[in-house]
């Protein structure tokens, strides 16, 4: 099977498995664990922040960020298509007790003027803005990269209004590779940031939330409240350390594979996707013209040995990663072409 459903399917490397065997087994929830502390310090250094806290998932890192930044009842402003708004089961309201306002965007970047209109203080008529939120790379925008100038504008605006900024950087290292800059240059435009080692970086589990030391202290308490303390998390942290130390530069290969895939689809039919839109490791293919739904395409491709997830009624989302080679890409394109030919 050629598995293009997600980069979370990446398996740990041999070096990760070895480091997991040699990891410490301290109780992170009680006295702390040496390996977890090492991962958190490494992650914070990469992100250019004072401290970090290891989390079981990106979703929890985002939820904890909301809890640690905001009291109950404020508004979170985030782009309409953001993962947190669309795929984290309403944790904003249901678990963090916050409201949200979606801001229209282009390729994941909020319209800054619309954001300016939306940021407001607490008055007797309006709920105040508790948090401004960005996502880089942007999942629903097909792995689009937020330009640094856009991030600086959003951060500047939020600062002017004294509102904190969180960056959902589940695929932050993909953004850094695409921009050709250090991760810290991106996260400099936020007060807190989280990123996943469990996606294209191949570790089995985990995300790290980073920010000021005071923010991370609050985040640790919030993590415990939502059940995120992991006890003997050393082996998971060990894999995360190998991910950060050795697996980030190779993401460029995944971006090349995604480009090759998009070019293949474009050759089949230009309506499927525009390779120019592919900046990182995600490719969205619009199958509307075929008259079939994405779910049907997913089932038909599975029968041909290609796994892919529908992202919308008429959109398939392909994700490239370490286990996808150039011949795999070509085989996936051929399978797709055959189905398209026989429509
Ligand atoms: C942008 C973004 N944020 C958060 C998450 C959630 O991460 P997790 O699956 O580890 O909860 C994802 C997962 O795909 C994502 O793409």
């Amino acid at each position: 099977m050629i598995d293009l459903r997600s980069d979370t399917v990446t398996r740990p490397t041999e070096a990760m498995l070895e480091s997991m065997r040699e990891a410490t087994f301290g109780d992170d929830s009680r006295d702390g664990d040496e390996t977890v502390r090492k991962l958190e310090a490494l992650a914070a250094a990469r992100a250019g922040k004072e401290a970090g806290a290891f989390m079981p998932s990106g979703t929890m890192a985002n939820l904890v960020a909301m809890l640690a930044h905001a009291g109950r009842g404020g508004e979170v402003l985030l782009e309409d298509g953001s993962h947190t708004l669309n795929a984290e089961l309403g944790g904003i309201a249901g678990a963090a007790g916050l409201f949200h306002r979606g801001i229209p965007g282009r390729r994941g970047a909020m319209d800054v003027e619309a954001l300016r209109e939306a940021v407001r203080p607490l008055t007797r008529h309006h709920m105040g803005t508790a948090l401004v939120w960005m996502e880089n790379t942007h999942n629903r925008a097909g792995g689009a990269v937020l330009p640094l100038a856009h991030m600086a504008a959003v951060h500047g605006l939020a600062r002017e209004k004294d509102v904190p900024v969180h960056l959902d950087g589940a695929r932050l290292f993909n953004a850094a590779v695409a921009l050709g800059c250090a991760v810290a240059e991106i996260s400099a435009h936020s007060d807190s940031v989280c990123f996943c080692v469990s996606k294209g970086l191949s570790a089995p589990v985990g995300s790290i939330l980073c920010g000021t030391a005071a923010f991370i202290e609050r985040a640790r308490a919030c993590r415990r409240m939502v059940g995120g303390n992991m006890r003997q998390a050393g082996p998971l942290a060990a894999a995360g350390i190998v991910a950060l130390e050795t697996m980030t530069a190779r993401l460029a290969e995944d971006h090349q594979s995604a480009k090759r895939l998009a070019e293949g689809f474009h050759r089949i039919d230009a309506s499927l996707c525009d390779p120019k839109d592919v900046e990182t490791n995600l490719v969205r293919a619009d199958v509307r013209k075929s008259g079939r739904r994405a779910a049907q395409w997913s089932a038909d491709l599975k029968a041909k040995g290609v796994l892919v997830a529908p992202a919308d009624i008429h959109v398939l989302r392909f994700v490239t990663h370490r286990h996808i080679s150039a011949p795999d890409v070509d085989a996936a394109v051929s399978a797709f072409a055959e189905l398209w030919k026989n429509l």
Side-chain angles (χ1 to χ4, degrees), residues 124-172:
R124 60 171 71 179
H125 299 295
H126 294 299
M127 181 178 292
T129 306
L131 191 55
V132 168
W133 196 274
M134 285 188 274
E135 180 177 318
N136 200 3
T137 63
H138 195 287
N139 189 336
R140 280 191 157 224
V145 180
L146 299 188
L148 291 177
H150 167 79
M151 295 189 71
V154 170
H155 193 208
L157 167 57
R159 240 196 226 154
E160 231 175 78
K161 311 278 183 184
D162 215 15
V163 175
V165 174
H166 174 70
L167 171 60
D168 174 358
R171 294 184 180 81
L172 187 60

Side-chain angles (χ1 to χ4, degrees), residues 7-8 10 39 43 54-62 83 88 136 167-174 193-210 239-240 243-244 247-248 251:
D7 42 10
T8 55
T10 45
L39 170 67
F54 191 31
M55 302 278 166
S57 69
T59 302
M60 188 181 285
N62 281 335
H83 189 274
E88 295 176 19
N136 200 3
L167 171 60
D168 174 358
R171 294 184 180 81
L172 187 60
F173 285 87
N174 295 83
V193 58
C194 63
F195 51 84
C196 303
V197 287
S198 56
K199 299 196 161 72
L201 302 182
S202 296
V205 172
S207 298
I208 304 98
L209 175 64
C210 301
L244 292 184
M247 302 302 286
T248 59
L251 293 174

Side-chain angles (χ1 to χ4, degrees), residues 101-114:
R101 202 120 60 97
I103 306 293
R106 216 193 128 264
R107 292 192 53 72
M110 287 181 281
D111 177 329
V112 178
E113 281 321 301

Side-chain angles (χ1 to χ4, degrees), residues 263-270 272 332-334 336-338 340-341:
E263 283 162 358
F265 291 149
H266 190 74
R267 275 196 298 276
I268 296 168
D269 195 292
L272 285 168
V333 171
S334 298
F336 194 97
E338 222 173 285
W340 190 270
K341 199 172 63 195

